[in-house]
Structures are given as structure tokens and as C-alpha cells.
Amino acid sequence: MGSKKTFTMIKPDAVSAGNSGAIIKMIEDHGFVVNAMKLTQLTTVQAGLFYEIHKEKTFYNDLVEYMSGGPIIPMILGKDNAVEDFRALIGSTNPAEAAEGTIRKLFATSISANAIHGSDSNENALIEGNFFFSNLERMK
Ligand code: UDP
Ligand code: MG
């Protein structure tokens, strides 16, 4: 049994396409419990900070622009083995390589507009959850 919690956000492309409900339904159907959720929008400064780990990458400026370009839905999710199981549920970064039945296969339109984020480690799940939610907003 691995981690108990992970962090996700439904990205602007999926929110604006009206896919939030279908994505949340898939998440819940796969055994994840929504512990915290809100609709918000990042400033370019906030998006730059969230993706700071990628600041040397060629796609960084476009990523910051895209992630601050519309509303997003960040969530903290609970489940046994949450981080690993959620990365499996969302699929590969590039939807062309994502497995059938994954969220990115179903809803992503490109490697950049790829519908959803999922934390890649327990440490980052905690950091990223704290980035969006206060102690009071987190349910447990
Ligand atoms: N991204 C991009 N072009 C790339 C690789 C990544 O625009 O060639 C974007 C994409 O939105 C991705 C995010 O940057 O989800 C973070 O990249 P990472 O490699 O961490 O992928 P993830 O962990 O989201 O699968
Ligand atoms: Mg990543």
C-alpha cells in the first residue's frame, strides 16, 4: 500500500470544453475520494511558480500562458496508492501515447493541452496540494 493522497487539477482546455463533470465522474468511479476541490484561475506568476521545475524547458513560456489562460479545478484526492494509481488513470503526457481508457486518451487534445495534471510523487502531492489549499480547506 502506497500513498494515501494525491493532487490533481483539471486544466483550462478540459474545463472550457465542458469535460469537468465527466472527468470527476471517472476519478470517483476509480475509487478516489475528493477531499478538496475548487474552481480558480492562476495568474501568470502563480502558473510560473507551480511549474518552476520546468523553467529551463522550451515549452515553459507556452505552458505558463496556457495554464493561466482560463479556469482550472484543483483537487486533493484520497485513495490507497493514490499517486501511482492516479498517474495510471490519467495516462501519458502525450495523448497520442496514452493508453485506451485513460483520461488523457479520452479528453486531451495535444501534449500541452492535455486535460489534467497528476502529482508524480508523495512529496510533490503535498507541495502542490498546499499550493492551492489552506489547512482549513483540506478535509482530512
Ligand atoms: N508539456 C508541454 N510540452 C512537452 C511536455 C510537457 O507542453 O513537450 C506540458 C504538459 O501540459 C505537461 C506539463 O507541461 O502536462 C508538465 O510536463 P511533465 O513532463 O511534468 O508532464 P506530466 O507530469 O504532466 O505528465
Ligand atoms: Mg509532471
Side-chain angles (χ1 to χ4, degrees):
M1 199 162 70
S3 58
K4 294 275 192 196
K5 287 189 191 297
T6 192
F7 170 81
T8 183
M9 54 187 165
I10 304 176
K11 295 184 175 183
D13 57 300
V15 175
S16 67
N19 290 327
S20 308
I23 290 172
I24 293 166
K25 169 89 172 124
M26 268 185 83
I27 290 170
E28 292 183 325
D29 284 350
H30 284 79
F32 294 87
V33 174
V34 178
N35 291 153
M37 173 168 67
K38 64 184 167 190
L39 185 129
T40 187
Q41 184 164 348
L42 292 170
T43 64
T44 52
V45 171
Q46 288 170 326
L49 278 173
F50 187 87
Y51 282 110
E52 202 164 20
I53 192 171
H54 293 304
K55 68 172 179 287
E56 307 303 333
K57 306 268 175 62
T58 53
F59 60 80
Y60 180 70
N61 287 340
D62 288 343
L63 177 62
V64 168
E65 196 80 0
Y66 148 65
M67 285 303 301
S68 58
I72 57 167
I73 301 177
M75 288 177 262
I76 294 173
L77 303 174
K79 183 185 184 297
D80 286 344
N81 209 34
V83 166
E84 204 179 306
D85 287 0
F86 195 72
R87 290 292 298 199
L89 178 61
I90 69 175
S92 301
T93 309
N94 184 351
E97 292 164 11
E100 289 298 330
T102 60
I103 293 175
R104 282 170 167 168
K105 180 71 177 185
L106 287 165
F107 298 107
T109 50
S110 73
I111 193 171
S112 47
N114 61 2
I116 193 157
H117 170 84
S119 302
D120 61 7
S121 66
N122 292 344
E123 190 194 4
N124 284 336
L126 195 63
I127 293 169
E128 292 170 359
N130 288 341
F131 186 95
F132 281 95
F133 295 101
S134 69
N135 200 31
L136 275 175
E137 288 172 315
R138 292 191 296 267
M139 287 178 62
K140 49 197 162 204

